[in-house]
Amino acid sequence: MVYEMLAFGLFALITIASSLGVVLAKDVWHSALLLGAALLSVAVHYVMLEAEFLAAMQILVYVGGVLILITFAVMLTRQAQTEAEEVTEL
Amino acid sequence: MVPIQYYLLLSAAVFCIGVFGILTRRNALLFLMSVELLLNAANINLVAFSKFHGNLTGQTFSLFTLALAAAEVAVGIGIILVLYRNFGDVDVTKATTMRW
């Protein structure tokens, strides 16, 4: 009973802290990584709510699919951005 | 067993953070990530109510939300890449060609 509350508090703290990090981080890449942490801790909440299938789907779909797509977008836009900055500096 | 109110508070907190992100950041990618946070907050609510009502309706709904989120990100990334190609940046305030 007490352990369950402790686990809930710990993972609620992780969820809220990494969500705040997503919003407040200066670097988009750090935001993407923190979004992955937030999604994984939400999956842990699903396990504690006895929704194991949904937790597995959360990890597969969100962390395996959505986060990869966001990573692609970050890399595509960021790399071209730094190249453009170098060109303007030269 | 953790009371349902705690899960609702957690979900409300995550939702508020997502809304804050949408309202304050200008990067289009941050918009996408904040929308993910909003959908996750809604999912936590659905699953918590599903547990405390003892049926699987909420979990089924959240599976639909999951599929919707994946499709939304695929479309959103296409839009962001076109935005980047046309305006050279992912700043949403720079795309002003549709402003009258």
Side-chain angles (χ1 to χ4, degrees), chain A residues 1 4-5 8 16 19-20 22-23 25 28 31 39 42 45-46 49-51 53-54 57-58 62 66 69-70 73 76-77 80-81, chain B residues 1-2 6-7 10 13 17 20-21 25 27 29-30 33 36-37 40 43-44 47-48 51 59 62-63 66 69 73 77 81 84 89-90:
Chain A
M1 198 65 115
E4 204 172 356
M5 285 300 292
F8 173 80
I16 291 176
S19 305
L20 268 177
V22 170
V23 173
V28 189
S31 291
L39 296 176
V42 170
H45 285 300
Y46 289 164
L49 284 166
E50 296 171 5
F53 177 71
L54 204 60
M57 284 301 113
Q58 169 94 1
Y62 269 113
V66 169
L69 277 174
I70 288 178
L76 281 172
T77 54
Q81 250 177 1
Chain B
M1 194 158 127
V2 184
Y6 288 12
Y7 282 107
L10 171 71
I17 292 169
F20 176 77
R25 297 298 296 261
N27 195 327
L29 286 166
L30 258 300
M33 295 188 209
E36 297 298 314
L37 285 181
N40 266 287
N43 267 349
I44 293 173
V47 178
K51 166 92 181 290
Q59 292 191 26
S62 56
L63 271 176
L66 215 74
V73 164
I77 278 175
L81 288 182
Y84 181 76
D89 205 349
V90 285

CSV table of all heavy atoms in Angstrom, one decimal, chain A residues 1 4-5 8 16 19-20 22-23 25 28 31 39 42 45-46 49-51 53-54 57-58 62 66 69-70 73 76-77 80-81, chain B residues 1-2 6-7 10 13 17 20-21 25 27 29-30 33 36-37 40 43-44 47-48 51 59 62-63 66 69 73 77 81 84 89-90:
chain,number,residue,atom,x,y,z
A,1,MET,N,0.8,-1.2,0.0
A,1,MET,CA,0.0,0.0,0.0
A,1,MET,C,0.9,1.3,0.0
A,1,MET,O,0.7,2.1,-0.9
A,1,MET,CB,-0.9,0.0,1.2
A,1,MET,CG,-2.1,0.9,1.2
A,1,MET,SD,-3.2,0.4,-0.1
A,1,MET,CE,-4.6,-0.1,0.9
A,4,GLU,N,3.0,1.4,-3.1
A,4,GLU,CA,2.3,1.8,-4.3
A,4,GLU,C,2.3,3.3,-4.3
A,4,GLU,O,2.5,3.9,-5.4
A,4,GLU,CB,0.9,1.2,-4.3
A,4,GLU,CG,0.3,1.1,-5.6
A,4,GLU,CD,-1.0,0.3,-5.6
A,4,GLU,OE1,-1.3,-0.2,-4.5
A,4,GLU,OE2,-1.6,0.2,-6.7
A,5,MET,N,1.9,3.9,-3.2
A,5,MET,CA,1.9,5.4,-3.1
A,5,MET,C,3.3,6.0,-3.4
A,5,MET,O,3.4,7.0,-4.1
A,5,MET,CB,1.4,5.9,-1.8
A,5,MET,CG,-0.1,5.7,-1.5
A,5,MET,SD,-1.1,6.5,-2.7
A,5,MET,CE,-0.7,8.2,-2.3
A,8,PHE,N,3.9,5.7,-7.1
A,8,PHE,CA,3.1,6.7,-7.8
A,8,PHE,C,3.7,8.1,-7.7
A,8,PHE,O,3.8,8.8,-8.7
A,8,PHE,CB,1.7,6.7,-7.3
A,8,PHE,CG,0.9,7.8,-7.9
A,8,PHE,CD1,0.3,7.7,-9.1
A,8,PHE,CD2,0.7,9.0,-7.2
A,8,PHE,CE1,-0.4,8.7,-9.7
A,8,PHE,CE2,0.0,10.1,-7.8
A,8,PHE,CZ,-0.6,9.9,-9.0
A,16,ILE,N,5.9,14.8,-14.4
A,16,ILE,CA,5.7,16.2,-14.5
A,16,ILE,C,7.0,17.0,-14.7
A,16,ILE,O,7.0,17.9,-15.5
A,16,ILE,CB,5.0,16.7,-13.1
A,16,ILE,CG1,3.6,16.2,-13.0
A,16,ILE,CG2,5.0,18.2,-13.0
A,16,ILE,CD1,2.9,16.4,-11.8
A,19,SER,N,7.8,16.6,-18.4
A,19,SER,CA,6.9,17.4,-19.2
A,19,SER,C,7.3,18.9,-19.2
A,19,SER,O,7.3,19.5,-20.2
A,19,SER,CB,5.5,17.2,-18.7
A,19,SER,OG,5.2,15.9,-18.7
A,20,LEU,N,7.6,19.3,-17.9
A,20,LEU,CA,8.1,20.7,-17.8
A,20,LEU,C,9.4,20.9,-18.6
A,20,LEU,O,9.6,22.0,-19.3
A,20,LEU,CB,8.4,21.1,-16.4
A,20,LEU,CG,7.2,21.7,-15.6
A,20,LEU,CD1,7.6,21.9,-14.1
A,20,LEU,CD2,6.8,23.0,-16.2
A,22,VAL,N,10.2,19.3,-21.3
A,22,VAL,CA,9.9,19.4,-22.8
A,22,VAL,C,9.5,20.8,-23.1
A,22,VAL,O,9.9,21.4,-24.2
A,22,VAL,CB,8.7,18.5,-23.1
A,22,VAL,CG1,8.1,18.7,-24.4
A,22,VAL,CG2,9.1,17.0,-22.9
A,23,VAL,N,8.7,21.5,-22.3
A,23,VAL,CA,8.2,22.8,-22.6
A,23,VAL,C,9.3,23.9,-22.4
A,23,VAL,O,9.4,24.8,-23.2
A,23,VAL,CB,7.0,23.1,-21.7
A,23,VAL,CG1,6.6,24.6,-21.9
A,23,VAL,CG2,5.9,22.2,-22.1
A,25,ALA,N,12.9,23.5,-22.2
A,25,ALA,CA,14.2,23.3,-22.7
A,25,ALA,C,14.5,24.2,-23.9
A,25,ALA,O,13.6,24.4,-24.8
A,25,ALA,CB,14.4,21.9,-23.1
A,28,VAL,N,15.7,21.9,-29.0
A,28,VAL,CA,14.6,21.0,-29.4
A,28,VAL,C,14.9,19.6,-29.2
A,28,VAL,O,14.1,18.7,-28.9
A,28,VAL,CB,14.2,21.3,-30.9
A,28,VAL,CG1,12.9,20.6,-31.2
A,28,VAL,CG2,14.0,22.8,-31.1
A,31,SER,N,14.3,18.6,-25.8
A,31,SER,CA,12.8,18.5,-25.6
A,31,SER,C,12.4,17.1,-26.1
A,31,SER,O,11.5,16.4,-25.5
A,31,SER,CB,12.1,19.5,-26.4
A,31,SER,OG,12.3,20.8,-25.8
A,39,LEU,N,6.8,10.0,-21.8
A,39,LEU,CA,6.0,8.9,-22.4
A,39,LEU,C,6.2,7.6,-21.7
A,39,LEU,O,5.3,6.8,-21.4
A,39,LEU,CB,6.2,8.8,-23.9
A,39,LEU,CG,5.8,10.0,-24.7
A,39,LEU,CD1,6.2,9.8,-26.2
A,39,LEU,CD2,4.3,10.3,-24.6
A,42,VAL,N,4.6,7.6,-18.3
A,42,VAL,CA,3.2,7.4,-18.4
A,42,VAL,C,2.9,5.9,-18.6
A,42,VAL,O,1.9,5.4,-18.1
A,42,VAL,CB,2.6,8.3,-19.6
A,42,VAL,CG1,1.2,7.9,-19.9
A,42,VAL,CG2,2.7,9.7,-19.2
A,45,HIS,N,2.7,4.4,-15.4
A,45,HIS,CA,1.4,4.7,-14.7
A,45,HIS,C,0.3,3.7,-15.2
A,45,HIS,O,-0.5,3.3,-14.5
A,45,HIS,CB,1.0,6.1,-15.0
A,45,HIS,CG,1.7,7.1,-14.2
A,45,HIS,ND1,1.7,7.1,-12.8
A,45,HIS,CD2,2.5,8.1,-14.6
A,45,HIS,CE1,2.5,8.1,-12.4
A,45,HIS,NE2,3.0,8.7,-13.5
A,46,TYR,N,0.4,3.4,-16.5
A,46,TYR,CA,-0.6,2.4,-17.1
A,46,TYR,C,-0.4,1.1,-16.4
A,46,TYR,O,-1.4,0.4,-16.2
A,46,TYR,CB,-0.4,2.3,-18.6
A,46,TYR,CG,-0.9,3.5,-19.4
A,46,TYR,CD1,-0.5,3.7,-20.7
A,46,TYR,CD2,-1.7,4.5,-18.8
A,46,TYR,CE1,-0.9,4.8,-21.4
A,46,TYR,CE2,-2.1,5.6,-19.5
A,46,TYR,CZ,-1.7,5.8,-20.8
A,46,TYR,OH,-2.1,6.9,-21.5
A,49,LEU,N,-2.1,1.1,-13.3
A,49,LEU,CA,-3.5,1.1,-13.4
A,49,LEU,C,-4.1,-0.2,-14.0
A,49,LEU,O,-5.2,-0.2,-14.4
A,49,LEU,CB,-3.9,2.3,-14.3
A,49,LEU,CG,-3.9,3.6,-13.6
A,49,LEU,CD1,-4.0,4.7,-14.6
A,49,LEU,CD2,-5.0,3.8,-12.6
A,50,GLU,N,-3.2,-1.3,-14.0
A,50,GLU,CA,-3.6,-2.6,-14.6
A,50,GLU,C,-4.0,-2.5,-16.0
A,50,GLU,O,-5.0,-3.2,-16.4
A,50,GLU,CB,-4.7,-3.2,-13.7
A,50,GLU,CG,-4.3,-3.5,-12.3
A,50,GLU,CD,-5.4,-3.9,-11.4
A,50,GLU,OE1,-6.6,-4.0,-11.9
A,50,GLU,OE2,-5.2,-4.0,-10.2
A,51,ALA,N,-3.4,-1.7,-16.8
A,51,ALA,CA,-3.6,-1.6,-18.3
A,51,ALA,C,-2.3,-2.0,-19.0
A,51,ALA,O,-1.7,-1.2,-19.6
A,51,ALA,CB,-4.1,-0.2,-18.7
A,53,PHE,N,-1.7,-4.0,-21.5
A,53,PHE,CA,-1.6,-4.0,-23.0
A,53,PHE,C,-1.5,-2.6,-23.5
A,53,PHE,O,-0.7,-2.3,-24.4
A,53,PHE,CB,-3.0,-4.6,-23.5
A,53,PHE,CG,-3.1,-4.5,-25.0
A,53,PHE,CD1,-2.3,-5.3,-25.8
A,53,PHE,CD2,-3.9,-3.6,-25.6
A,53,PHE,CE1,-2.4,-5.2,-27.2
A,53,PHE,CE2,-4.0,-3.5,-27.0
A,53,PHE,CZ,-3.2,-4.3,-27.8
A,54,LEU,N,-2.1,-1.6,-22.8
A,54,LEU,CA,-2.0,-0.2,-23.2
A,54,LEU,C,-0.6,0.3,-23.0
A,54,LEU,O,-0.1,1.1,-23.7
A,54,LEU,CB,-3.1,0.6,-22.5
A,54,LEU,CG,-3.5,1.9,-23.1
A,54,LEU,CD1,-4.1,1.6,-24.5
A,54,LEU,CD2,-4.4,2.6,-22.3
A,57,MET,N,1.4,-0.9,-25.8
A,57,MET,CA,1.1,-0.1,-27.0
A,57,MET,C,1.7,1.3,-26.9
A,57,MET,O,2.2,1.8,-27.9
A,57,MET,CB,-0.4,0.0,-27.2
A,57,MET,CG,-1.0,-1.2,-27.7
A,57,MET,SD,-0.4,-1.7,-29.3
A,57,MET,CE,0.4,-3.2,-28.9
A,58,GLN,N,1.7,1.8,-25.7
A,58,GLN,CA,2.3,3.2,-25.5
A,58,GLN,C,3.8,3.2,-25.8
A,58,GLN,O,4.2,4.0,-26.6
A,58,GLN,CB,2.1,3.6,-24.0
A,58,GLN,CG,2.9,4.8,-23.6
A,58,GLN,CD,2.0,6.0,-23.6
A,58,GLN,OE1,0.9,6.0,-24.0
A,58,GLN,NE2,2.7,7.1,-23.3
A,62,TYR,N,4.3,5.1,-29.2
A,62,TYR,CA,4.8,6.4,-28.9
A,62,TYR,C,6.3,6.5,-29.0
A,62,TYR,O,6.9,7.2,-29.8
A,62,TYR,CB,4.3,6.9,-27.6
A,62,TYR,CG,3.1,7.7,-27.6
A,62,TYR,CD1,1.9,7.2,-27.0
A,62,TYR,CD2,3.0,8.9,-28.2
A,62,TYR,CE1,0.7,7.9,-27.0
A,62,TYR,CE2,1.8,9.6,-28.2
A,62,TYR,CZ,0.7,9.1,-27.6
A,62,TYR,OH,-0.5,9.8,-27.6
A,66,VAL,N,6.3,7.5,-32.8
A,66,VAL,CA,6.2,8.9,-32.8
A,66,VAL,C,7.5,9.6,-32.5
A,66,VAL,O,7.8,10.6,-33.1
A,66,VAL,CB,5.1,9.3,-31.7
A,66,VAL,CG1,5.1,10.8,-31.5
A,66,VAL,CG2,3.7,8.8,-32.2
A,69,LEU,N,9.7,9.6,-35.4
A,69,LEU,CA,9.3,10.6,-36.4
A,69,LEU,C,9.8,12.0,-36.0
A,69,LEU,O,10.3,12.8,-36.8
A,69,LEU,CB,7.8,10.6,-36.6
A,69,LEU,CG,7.3,9.5,-37.5
A,69,LEU,CD1,5.8,9.5,-37.5
A,69,LEU,CD2,7.7,9.8,-38.9
A,70,ILE,N,9.6,12.3,-34.7
A,70,ILE,CA,9.9,13.7,-34.2
A,70,ILE,C,11.5,13.8,-34.4
A,70,ILE,O,11.9,14.9,-34.7
A,70,ILE,CB,9.4,13.9,-32.8
A,70,ILE,CG1,7.9,14.0,-32.8
A,70,ILE,CG2,10.1,15.1,-32.1
A,70,ILE,CD1,7.3,14.2,-31.5
A,73,ALA,N,12.3,14.8,-37.8
A,73,ALA,CA,12.0,16.2,-38.1
A,73,ALA,C,13.1,17.1,-37.5
A,73,ALA,O,13.5,18.0,-38.1
A,73,ALA,CB,10.6,16.5,-37.6
A,76,LEU,N,16.3,16.8,-39.6
A,76,LEU,CA,16.2,17.4,-40.9
A,76,LEU,C,16.2,18.9,-40.8
A,76,LEU,O,17.0,19.5,-41.5
A,76,LEU,CB,14.9,16.9,-41.6
A,76,LEU,CG,14.9,15.5,-42.2
A,76,LEU,CD1,13.5,15.1,-42.6
A,76,LEU,CD2,15.9,15.5,-43.3
A,77,THR,N,15.4,19.5,-39.9
A,77,THR,CA,15.3,20.9,-39.9
A,77,THR,C,16.6,21.5,-39.2
A,77,THR,O,17.1,22.5,-39.7
A,77,THR,CB,14.1,21.4,-39.1
A,77,THR,OG1,14.1,20.7,-37.8
A,77,THR,CG2,12.9,21.0,-39.8
A,80,ALA,N,19.9,21.4,-41.6
A,80,ALA,CA,19.8,22.4,-42.6
A,80,ALA,C,20.0,23.8,-42.0
A,80,ALA,O,20.6,24.7,-42.6
A,80,ALA,CB,18.5,22.3,-43.4
A,81,GLN,N,19.4,24.0,-40.8
A,81,GLN,CA,19.5,25.3,-40.1
A,81,GLN,C,21.0,25.6,-39.8
A,81,GLN,O,21.4,26.7,-40.1
A,81,GLN,CB,18.8,25.2,-38.8
A,81,GLN,CG,17.5,26.0,-38.8
A,81,GLN,CD,16.8,25.9,-37.5
A,81,GLN,OE1,17.2,25.2,-36.6
A,81,GLN,NE2,15.6,26.5,-37.4
B,1,MET,N,-3.9,0.9,-3.0
B,1,MET,CA,-4.5,1.4,-4.2
B,1,MET,C,-4.4,3.0,-4.2
B,1,MET,O,-4.9,3.6,-3.2
B,1,MET,CB,-5.9,1.0,-4.3
B,1,MET,CG,-6.5,1.1,-5.7
B,1,MET,SD,-7.8,0.0,-5.9
B,1,MET,CE,-9.1,1.1,-6.4
B,2,VAL,N,-3.9,3.6,-5.2
B,2,VAL,CA,-3.8,5.0,-5.3
B,2,VAL,C,-5.2,5.6,-5.6
B,2,VAL,O,-5.9,5.1,-6.5
B,2,VAL,CB,-2.8,5.4,-6.4
B,2,VAL,CG1,-2.6,6.9,-6.4
B,2,VAL,CG2,-1.5,4.7,-6.2
B,6,TYR,N,-5.6,11.5,-7.3
B,6,TYR,CA,-4.2,11.7,-7.6
B,6,TYR,C,-3.9,11.6,-9.1
B,6,TYR,O,-3.2,12.4,-9.7
B,6,TYR,CB,-3.3,10.7,-6.8
B,6,TYR,CG,-3.3,11.0,-5.3
B,6,TYR,CD1,-4.2,11.8,-4.7
B,6,TYR,CD2,-2.4,10.3,-4.5
B,6,TYR,CE1,-4.1,12.1,-3.4
B,6,TYR,CE2,-2.3,10.5,-3.2
B,6,TYR,CZ,-3.2,11.4,-2.6
B,6,TYR,OH,-3.2,11.6,-1.3
B,7,TYR,N,-4.6,10.6,-9.7
B,7,TYR,CA,-4.4,10.4,-11.2
B,7,TYR,C,-4.9,11.6,-11.9
B,7,TYR,O,-4.4,12.1,-12.9
B,7,TYR,CB,-5.0,9.1,-11.7
B,7,TYR,CG,-4.1,7.9,-11.4
B,7,TYR,CD1,-4.5,7.1,-10.4
B,7,TYR,CD2,-2.9,7.7,-12.0
B,7,TYR,CE1,-3.7,6.0,-10.1
B,7,TYR,CE2,-2.1,6.7,-11.8
B,7,TYR,CZ,-2.5,5.8,-10.8
B,7,TYR,OH,-1.7,4.7,-10.5
B,10,LEU,N,-2.6,14.5,-11.5
B,10,LEU,CA,-1.4,14.3,-12.4
B,10,LEU,C,-1.8,14.7,-13.9
B,10,LEU,O,-1.1,15.4,-14.6
B,10,LEU,CB,-0.9,12.9,-12.3
B,10,LEU,CG,0.1,12.4,-13.3
B,10,LEU,CD1,1.4,13.1,-13.0
B,10,LEU,CD2,0.3,10.9,-13.3
B,13,ALA,N,-2.1,18.3,-14.3
B,13,ALA,CA,-0.8,19.0,-14.4
B,13,ALA,C,-0.2,18.9,-15.7
B,13,ALA,O,0.3,19.8,-16.3
B,13,ALA,CB,0.1,18.4,-13.3
B,17,ILE,N,0.7,21.8,-18.5
B,17,ILE,CA,2.0,22.0,-19.1
B,17,ILE,C,2.0,22.0,-20.6
B,17,ILE,O,2.6,22.8,-21.2
B,17,ILE,CB,3.0,20.9,-18.5
B,17,ILE,CG1,3.2,21.1,-17.0
B,17,ILE,CG2,4.3,21.0,-19.2
B,17,ILE,CD1,3.9,20.0,-16.4
B,20,PHE,N,0.5,25.3,-21.8
B,20,PHE,CA,1.5,26.3,-21.6
B,20,PHE,C,2.6,26.3,-22.7
B,20,PHE,O,3.0,27.3,-23.3
B,20,PHE,CB,2.2,26.1,-20.3
B,20,PHE,CG,3.4,27.0,-20.0
B,20,PHE,CD1,3.1,28.3,-19.6
B,20,PHE,CD2,4.7,26.6,-20.1
B,20,PHE,CE1,4.2,29.2,-19.4
B,20,PHE,CE2,5.7,27.4,-19.9
B,20,PHE,CZ,5.5,28.7,-19.5
B,21,GLY,N,3.0,25.0,-23.1
B,21,GLY,CA,3.9,24.9,-24.2
B,21,GLY,C,3.4,25.4,-25.5
B,21,GLY,O,4.1,26.1,-26.3
B,25,ARG,N,5.7,28.7,-26.8
B,25,ARG,CA,6.8,28.4,-27.7
B,25,ARG,C,6.4,28.8,-29.1
B,25,ARG,O,5.2,28.7,-29.5
B,25,ARG,CB,7.2,27.0,-27.6
B,25,ARG,CG,7.7,26.6,-26.2
B,25,ARG,CD,8.9,27.4,-25.8
B,25,ARG,NE,10.1,27.1,-26.7
B,25,ARG,CZ,11.0,26.2,-26.4
B,25,ARG,NH1,11.0,25.6,-25.2
B,25,ARG,NH2,12.0,26.0,-27.2
B,27,ASN,N,8.4,27.4,-31.8
B,27,ASN,CA,8.9,26.3,-32.7
B,27,ASN,C,7.7,25.4,-33.0
B,27,ASN,O,7.0,24.9,-32.1
B,27,ASN,CB,10.0,25.6,-31.9
B,27,ASN,CG,10.8,24.8,-32.8
B,27,ASN,OD1,10.3,24.2,-33.8
B,27,ASN,ND2,12.1,24.6,-32.5
B,29,LEU,N,7.9,22.3,-34.0
B,29,LEU,CA,8.1,21.0,-33.4
B,29,LEU,C,7.7,20.9,-31.9
B,29,LEU,O,7.2,19.9,-31.5
B,29,LEU,CB,9.6,20.7,-33.5
B,29,LEU,CG,10.1,20.3,-34.9
B,29,LEU,CD1,11.6,20.3,-35.0
B,29,LEU,CD2,9.6,18.9,-35.3
B,30,LEU,N,7.9,22.1,-31.2
B,30,LEU,CA,7.4,22.1,-29.8
B,30,LEU,C,5.9,22.0,-29.8
B,30,LEU,O,5.3,21.5,-28.8
B,30,LEU,CB,7.9,23.4,-29.2
B,30,LEU,CG,9.1,23.2,-28.2
B,30,LEU,CD1,8.8,22.3,-27.1
B,30,LEU,CD2,10.3,22.7,-28.9
B,33,MET,N,5.1,18.4,-30.0
B,33,MET,CA,5.4,17.7,-28.7
B,33,MET,C,4.3,18.0,-27.6
B,33,MET,O,3.9,17.2,-26.8
B,33,MET,CB,6.8,18.0,-28.3
B,33,MET,CG,7.8,17.5,-29.2
B,33,MET,SD,9.4,17.7,-28.5
B,33,MET,CE,10.4,17.9,-29.9
B,36,GLU,N,1.3,16.1,-28.1
B,36,GLU,CA,1.5,14.8,-27.5
B,36,GLU,C,1.2,14.7,-26.0
B,36,GLU,O,0.6,13.8,-25.5
B,36,GLU,CB,2.9,14.3,-27.8
B,36,GLU,CG,3.2,14.1,-29.3
B,36,GLU,CD,2.3,13.1,-30.0
B,36,GLU,OE1,2.1,12.0,-29.4
B,36,GLU,OE2,1.7,13.4,-31.0
B,37,LEU,N,1.7,15.8,-25.3
B,37,LEU,CA,1.5,15.8,-23.9
B,37,LEU,C,0.0,15.9,-23.6
B,37,LEU,O,-0.5,15.3,-22.6
B,37,LEU,CB,2.3,17.0,-23.3
B,37,LEU,CG,3.8,16.9,-23.2
B,37,LEU,CD1,4.3,18.2,-22.5
B,37,LEU,CD2,4.1,15.7,-22.3
B,40,ASN,N,-1.6,12.6,-24.0
B,40,ASN,CA,-1.2,11.7,-22.9
B,40,ASN,C,-2.0,12.0,-21.7
B,40,ASN,O,-2.3,11.1,-20.9
B,40,ASN,CB,0.3,11.7,-22.7
B,40,ASN,CG,1.0,10.7,-23.5
B,40,ASN,OD1,0.9,9.5,-23.2
B,40,ASN,ND2,1.6,11.1,-24.6
B,43,ASN,N,-5.3,10.5,-22.0
B,43,ASN,CA,-5.2,9.1,-21.9
B,43,ASN,C,-5.1,8.6,-20.4
B,43,ASN,O,-5.7,7.6,-20.0
B,43,ASN,CB,-4.0,8.6,-22.6
B,43,ASN,CG,-4.3,8.2,-24.0
B,43,ASN,OD1,-5.5,8.1,-24.4
B,43,ASN,ND2,-3.3,8.0,-24.8
B,44,ILE,N,-4.3,9.4,-19.6
B,44,ILE,CA,-4.2,9.0,-18.2
B,44,ILE,C,-5.6,9.1,-17.5
B,44,ILE,O,-6.0,8.2,-16.8
B,44,ILE,CB,-3.2,9.9,-17.5
B,44,ILE,CG1,-1.8,9.7,-18.0
B,44,ILE,CG2,-3.2,9.7,-16.0
B,44,ILE,CD1,-0.8,10.7,-17.4
B,47,VAL,N,-7.8,6.0,-18.7
B,47,VAL,CA,-7.4,4.8,-18.1
B,47,VAL,C,-7.7,4.7,-16.6
B,47,VAL,O,-8.1,3.7,-16.1
B,47,VAL,CB,-5.9,4.5,-18.4
B,47,VAL,CG1,-5.4,3.2,-17.7
B,47,VAL,CG2,-5.6,4.4,-19.8
B,48,ALA,N,-7.5,5.9,-15.9
B,48,ALA,CA,-7.9,5.9,-14.5
B,48,ALA,C,-9.3,5.7,-14.3
B,48,ALA,O,-9.7,4.9,-13.4
B,48,ALA,CB,-7.5,7.3,-13.9
B,51,LYS,N,-10.1,2.0,-14.8
B,51,LYS,CA,-9.8,1.2,-13.6
B,51,LYS,C,-10.8,1.4,-12.5
B,51,LYS,O,-11.3,0.4,-12.0
B,51,LYS,CB,-8.4,1.6,-13.1
B,51,LYS,CG,-8.0,1.1,-11.7
B,51,LYS,CD,-7.3,-0.2,-11.8
B,51,LYS,CE,-7.0,-0.7,-10.4
B,51,LYS,NZ,-6.0,0.1,-9.8
B,59,GLN,N,-10.0,2.2,-21.6
B,59,GLN,CA,-8.8,1.7,-22.3
B,59,GLN,C,-9.0,1.6,-23.8
B,59,GLN,O,-8.1,1.9,-24.6
B,59,GLN,CB,-8.5,0.4,-21.7
B,59,GLN,CG,-8.0,0.4,-20.3
B,59,GLN,CD,-7.4,-0.9,-19.9
B,59,GLN,OE1,-6.9,-1.6,-20.7
B,59,GLN,NE2,-7.5,-1.1,-18.6
B,62,SER,N,-8.7,5.0,-25.2
B,62,SER,CA,-7.3,5.5,-25.2
B,62,SER,C,-6.5,4.8,-26.3
B,62,SER,O,-5.6,5.4,-26.9
B,62,SER,CB,-6.7,5.4,-23.9
B,62,SER,OG,-6.7,4.0,-23.5
B,63,LEU,N,-6.9,3.6,-26.7
B,63,LEU,CA,-6.2,3.0,-27.9
B,63,LEU,C,-6.5,3.8,-29.2
B,63,LEU,O,-5.7,4.0,-30.0
B,63,LEU,CB,-6.7,1.5,-28.0
B,63,LEU,CG,-5.9,0.5,-27.3
B,63,LEU,CD1,-6.5,-0.9,-27.5
B,63,LEU,CD2,-4.5,0.5,-27.8
B,66,LEU,N,-4.4,6.7,-29.2
B,66,LEU,CA,-3.0,6.4,-29.5
B,66,LEU,C,-2.9,6.4,-31.0
B,66,LEU,O,-1.9,7.0,-31.6
B,66,LEU,CB,-2.7,5.0,-28.9
B,66,LEU,CG,-1.4,4.7,-28.4
B,66,LEU,CD1,-1.2,5.4,-27.1
B,66,LEU,CD2,-1.2,3.2,-28.2
B,69,ALA,N,-3.0,9.8,-32.4
B,69,ALA,CA,-1.7,10.6,-32.2
B,69,ALA,C,-0.7,10.2,-33.2
B,69,ALA,O,0.1,11.1,-33.7
B,69,ALA,CB,-1.3,10.3,-30.7
B,73,VAL,N,1.0,12.9,-35.8
B,73,VAL,CA,2.4,13.3,-35.9
B,73,VAL,C,2.9,13.1,-37.3
B,73,VAL,O,3.7,13.9,-37.8
B,73,VAL,CB,3.2,12.4,-34.9
B,73,VAL,CG1,4.7,12.5,-35.2
B,73,VAL,CG2,2.9,13.0,-33.5
B,77,ILE,N,4.4,16.3,-39.2
B,77,ILE,CA,5.8,16.4,-39.6
B,77,ILE,C,5.9,16.7,-41.1
B,77,ILE,O,6.8,17.5,-41.5
B,77,ILE,CB,6.6,15.1,-39.3
B,77,ILE,CG1,7.0,15.2,-37.8
B,77,ILE,CG2,7.8,14.9,-40.1
B,77,ILE,CD1,7.6,14.0,-37.3
B,81,LEU,N,7.9,20.1,-42.4
B,81,LEU,CA,9.0,20.0,-43.4
B,81,LEU,C,8.7,21.0,-44.6
B,81,LEU,O,9.6,21.7,-45.1
B,81,LEU,CB,9.2,18.6,-43.9
B,81,LEU,CG,9.9,17.7,-42.9
B,81,LEU,CD1,10.1,16.3,-43.5
B,81,LEU,CD2,11.2,18.3,-42.4
B,84,TYR,N,9.3,24.4,-43.4
B,84,TYR,CA,10.8,24.7,-43.4
B,84,TYR,C,11.3,24.9,-44.8
B,84,TYR,O,12.1,25.8,-45.0
B,84,TYR,CB,11.5,23.5,-42.8
B,84,TYR,CG,13.0,23.8,-42.7
B,84,TYR,CD1,13.5,24.6,-41.8
B,84,TYR,CD2,13.8,23.2,-43.7
B,84,TYR,CE1,14.8,24.9,-41.8
B,84,TYR,CE2,15.2,23.5,-43.6
B,84,TYR,CZ,15.7,24.3,-42.7
B,84,TYR,OH,17.0,24.6,-42.7
B,89,ASP,N,12.7,28.2,-41.9
B,89,ASP,CA,12.7,28.1,-40.5
B,89,ASP,C,11.4,27.4,-40.0
B,89,ASP,O,10.5,27.2,-40.8
B,89,ASP,CB,12.7,29.5,-39.9
B,89,ASP,CG,13.3,29.6,-38.5
B,89,ASP,OD1,13.5,28.5,-38.0
B,89,ASP,OD2,13.6,30.7,-38.0
B,90,VAL,N,11.5,26.9,-38.7
B,90,VAL,CA,10.3,26.2,-38.2
B,90,VAL,C,9.5,27.2,-37.3
B,90,VAL,O,8.7,26.7,-36.5
B,90,VAL,CB,10.6,24.9,-37.5
B,90,VAL,CG1,10.9,23.8,-38.6
B,90,VAL,CG2,11.8,25.1,-36.6
